[in-house]
Amino acid sequence: MLNRNLLALAAFALALTACDSKPPRQFTMDELAGKWQLQPESFPSLQNRMGQVPKNSQLVLSADGRFTSTDMPLEEFPPIRQYKYRSGRGTWRLIPQIIRHIEVIYDDKDVETLSVEADTNDSPFLVHAIGDPESSERWVWKKVRDRRLATH
């Protein structure tokens, strides 16, 4: 009888916990628009995978769904996993079927998918996990604050 009561209490506590958790924050295209820079925590992976780290790797997302990139690292597969730096332009979009992901599509159809995560201040950052989404090896992009706007 005691075990049954403990089991019921544990199920009730689990249900309360599940009700209290909130879904992940969704970011809009307007919130994600801006200049993004590859972060130094990504450099060891890039050095290991590609033999060099670019000096000014950046991604600029426009709210109208266009983007430009400079030395953006891409992971390609199948049939063979390959890595390259890519500069160019194209379109980007939120992926409605996958919560908190964006897709950048180059004009020549190269595609990169990035997850959108939030830091402790609820500010977004972009991530490409190497291999699978649970990988600890990640390329991280943070938004660059426009200093011109901050001084006015």
Side-chain angles (χ1 to χ4, degrees):
M1 183 69 135
L2 182 60
N3 286 341
R4 184 179 288 163
N5 288 341
L6 284 175
L7 186 59
L9 184 60
F12 180 72
L14 183 60
L16 283 178
T17 303
C19 291
D20 193 35
S21 64
K22 60 182 181 179
R25 168 146 157 40
Q26 295 288 18
F27 292 97
T28 66
M29 287 182 75
D30 284 334
E31 290 174 301
L32 297 176
K35 182 178 174 183
W36 296 80
Q37 205 157 33
L38 196 60
Q39 295 302 292
E41 64 203 70
S42 308
F43 296 171
S45 169
L46 294 170
Q47 182 68 44
N48 180 48
R49 301 248 177 218
M50 294 190 243
Q52 64 179 346
V53 175
K55 296 200 182 320
N56 190 27
S57 189
Q58 65 181 5
L59 174 65
V60 180
L61 303 176
S62 298
D64 67 358
R66 301 286 303 159
F67 81 89
T68 59
S69 73
T70 305
D71 291 331
M72 181 176 185
L74 297 180
E75 178 182 32
E76 295 182 324
F77 59 91
I80 301 168
R81 194 172 303 273
Q82 298 178 7
Y83 304 93
K84 67 180 181 179
Y85 290 112
R86 181 68 203 271
S87 297
R89 59 186 68 235
T91 59
W92 73 280
R93 68 184 184 109
L94 297 167
I95 305 176
Q97 302 87 349
I98 308 174
I99 295 175
R100 293 176 73 161
H101 280 75
I102 66 167
E103 188 173 64
V104 294
I105 306 155
Y106 284 87
D107 287 339
D108 67 1
K109 307 301 181 216
D110 266 349
V111 176
E112 178 73 353
T113 302
L114 301 165
S115 64
V116 182
E117 300 183 15
D119 64 17
T120 55
N121 296 321
D122 211 25
S123 297
F125 62 96
L126 306 176
V127 174
H128 175 82
I130 305 304
D132 68 68
E134 302 303 317
S135 173
S136 62
E137 185 179 354
R138 302 159 25 119
W139 299 334
V140 178
W141 298 81
K142 295 223 175 147
K143 200 170 186 181
V144 177
R145 190 168 171 200
D146 190 340
R147 293 187 182 119
R148 291 174 297 166
L149 296 176
T151 58
H152 292 262

